[in-house]
Amino acid sequence: MNNTILLSVLAPLLAQTAPAFAAPGKPPVVLVHGAWETGTIWDGVAAKLKQDGYNVQIVTLAGRTGNPAAPDQVSMESYRKTIADAVDANNQPVVLV
C-alpha cells in the first residue's frame, strides 16, 4: 500500500482522536505490521507522523526478520503479549494501528 495514501487516511483520524485523550499533546502511536511483513513497512508513515510531533513506536512481531524466534515460540499469544507490552509501555492511551 502506498504510504502517502495510508498517511492521508490516518492523519485525519489521528487528529480527530487526539482531543478525546486527557493527556496534553498528541497521543502516542503504536504501529504493528500485518502478515508476511515486518515493522519496516511503517518506516515512511512513522517518519511523517514523527515530523508532525507524534511519538511513534513500531512493533515487529516474533518470528519476523528483526525479531527472530524459534517456531515453537511464535504464537497468537506471543503476538498479543508483544502488542500489549508496547501499548502498556506508554502509560497512557495510544492510537494502535
Side-chain angles (χ1 to χ4, degrees):
M1 175 177 263
N2 183 315
N3 286 342
T4 303
I5 293 171
L6 183 58
L7 184 59
S8 67
V9 171
L10 287 177
L13 295 173
L14 293 173
Q16 291 173 3
T17 305
F21 294 100
K26 298 179 180 185
V29 179
V30 177
L31 302 172
V32 182
H33 63 85
W36 315 118
E37 296 291 346
T38 66
T40 60
I41 193 74
W42 291 111
D43 287 350
V45 172
K48 291 177 182 178
L49 288 170
K50 288 176 184 178
Q51 283 177 339
D52 197 32
Y54 287 92
N55 177 18
V56 179
Q57 181 178 2
I58 298 174
V59 174
T60 295
L61 298 171
R64 306 302 305 151
T65 303
N67 189 3
D72 64 336
Q73 299 299 311
V74 178
S75 66
M76 292 304 286
E77 176 58 23
S78 70
Y79 290 169
R80 185 208 60 79
K81 183 175 179 346
T82 300
I83 295 167
D85 289 349
V87 169
D88 291 344
N90 286 281
N91 297 315
Q92 63 178 320
V94 304
V95 175
L96 176 61
V97 181

